[in-house]
């Protein structure tokens, strides 16, 4: 799996927290509210942002099993805060090679944030089959869906994002990635397996004063778009200059589309 730095994860965390879909989050909390003790497995946990976002809404007695292939991120997660009464263990695991190991113990909920757009259809099928076999609810948040809107617009915006979206479909460590099709594909898969699904948008809203986030995104999009060979270096340079001029003038806003969903086995209360 492609690595993410602690700095990037820290930069995006407040945007993730604000973006999480309230209706889907309420459905997760309502599903678990009558369980006195909770066991939660968080796949590709990073530094533990899902625990920090979801944990305070759940019962006092909860145990999280945080799983990631990056030991440095796991160390950061282990050193981070947890809600009062909650506990955690961290498990280094290659989710492509050893996905089945993640389901070695029973859980009340499996979670994943900003993961599904990086995985292949084959891997997603493996995950869905394991979750269905366990009849456990699955909460997937912040899956990128390909929508990006800029204000003010630039003539090159669409071409850059189309190239970026093509790059999102390349192998990120799980085979050819689903990229922007991930949320739609995952919802279809779980419904076909007999799950009921609650879903909704969880879009980032990035304003003119969020300069570090905008700068990181513009750099990342330009690098990924350039790697596809679809745009010339001169066109990408012109696009970056135009967008940075708008940012420097305090005019630039960006929306980045994401989807959250909760998939519940039929009969789950």
């Amino acid at each position: 799996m492609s690595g993410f730095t602690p700095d990037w994860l820290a930069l995006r965390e407040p945007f993730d927290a604000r973006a999480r879909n309230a209706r889907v989050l309420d459905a997760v909390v309502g599903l678990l509210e009558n369980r006195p003790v909770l066991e939660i497995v968080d796949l590709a946990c990073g530094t533990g942002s899902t625990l920090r976002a979801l944990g305070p809404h759940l019962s006092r007695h909860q145990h999280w099993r945080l799983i990631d292939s990056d030991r440095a991120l796991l160390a950061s997660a282990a050193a981070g805060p947890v809600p009062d009464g909650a506990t955690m263990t961290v498990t280094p695991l290659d989710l492509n090679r050893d996905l089945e190991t993640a389901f070695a113990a029973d859980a009340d909920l499996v979670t994943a944030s900003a993961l599904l757009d990086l995985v292949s259809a084959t891997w997603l099928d493996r995950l869905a089959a394991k979750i269905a076999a366990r009849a456990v609810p699955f909460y997937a948040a912040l899956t990128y869906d390909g929508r990006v809107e800029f204000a003010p617009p630039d003539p090159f915006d669409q071409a850059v994002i189309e190239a970026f979206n093509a790059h999102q479909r390349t192998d990120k460590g799980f085979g050819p990635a689903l990229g922007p099709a991930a949320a739609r594909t995952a919802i279809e898969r779980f419904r076909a397996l007999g799950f009921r699904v609650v879903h909704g948008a969880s879009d980032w809203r990035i304003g003119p004063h969020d300069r570090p986030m905008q700068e990181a995104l513009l750099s990342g999009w330009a690098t990924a778009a350039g790697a596809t060979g679809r745009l010339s270096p001169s066109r990408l340079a012109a696009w970056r200059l135009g967008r940075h001029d708008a940012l420097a003038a305090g005019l630039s806003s960006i929306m980045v589309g994401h989807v959250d969903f909760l998939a519940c086995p039929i009969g789950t209360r």
Side-chain angles (χ1 to χ4, degrees), residues 134-145:
R134 293 278 184 172
V136 61
F138 179 52
Y139 172 40
L142 301 157
T143 301
Y144 174 64
D145 70 355

Side-chain angles (χ1 to χ4, degrees), residues 127-188:
L127 174 68
K130 287 297 175 185
I131 288 173
R134 293 278 184 172
V136 61
F138 179 52
Y139 172 40
L142 301 157
T143 301
Y144 174 64
D145 70 355
R147 294 176 297 118
V148 180
E149 296 176 2
F150 297 94
D154 181 279
F156 296 151
D157 288 340
Q158 183 175 352
V160 171
I161 295 305
E162 285 178 355
F164 171 72
N165 286 342
H167 187 272
Q168 286 298 98
R169 296 182 177 91
T170 61
D171 192 336
K172 302 298 188 292
F174 297 87
L178 286 162
R184 180 182 70 252
T185 302
I187 289 169
E188 290 172 354

Side-chain angles (χ1 to χ4, degrees), residues 29-137:
V29 174
L31 181 70
L32 302 176
E33 64 184 351
N34 293 323
R35 303 185 190 187
V37 180
L38 297 173
E39 295 285 339
I40 302 168
V41 174
D42 187 22
L43 305 177
C45 67
T47 62
S49 63
T50 302
L51 185 160
R52 291 187 288 274
L54 178 59
H57 298 278
L58 302 177
S59 70
R60 189 170 184 274
H61 300 290
Q62 51 187 282
H63 176 75
W64 288 71
R65 185 181 181 214
L66 304 184
I67 295 174
D68 204 287
S69 61
D70 189 319
R71 291 176 181 268
L73 296 182
L74 286 175
S76 179
V82 296
D84 185 34
T87 59
M88 76 165 94
T89 57
V90 297
T91 303
L93 189 68
D94 183 329
L95 286 171
N96 187 32
R97 185 186 64 216
D98 300 318
L99 174 63
E100 289 71 18
T101 306
F103 295 88
D106 289 336
D108 297 292
L109 180 71
V110 175
T111 69
S113 296
L115 171 64
L116 296 187
D117 46 287
L118 305 177
V119 309
S120 66
T122 299
W123 190 91
L124 176 63
D125 286 344
R126 288 171 60 199
L127 174 68
K130 287 297 175 185
I131 288 173
R134 293 278 184 172
V136 61

Side-chain angles (χ1 to χ4, degrees), residues 15-36:
F15 297 93
D16 287 341
R18 290 195 294 269
R20 284 178 183 266
N21 185 277
R23 176 170 171 262
V24 177
L25 183 61
D26 287 347
V28 175
V29 174
L31 181 70
L32 302 176
E33 64 184 351
N34 293 323
R35 303 185 190 187

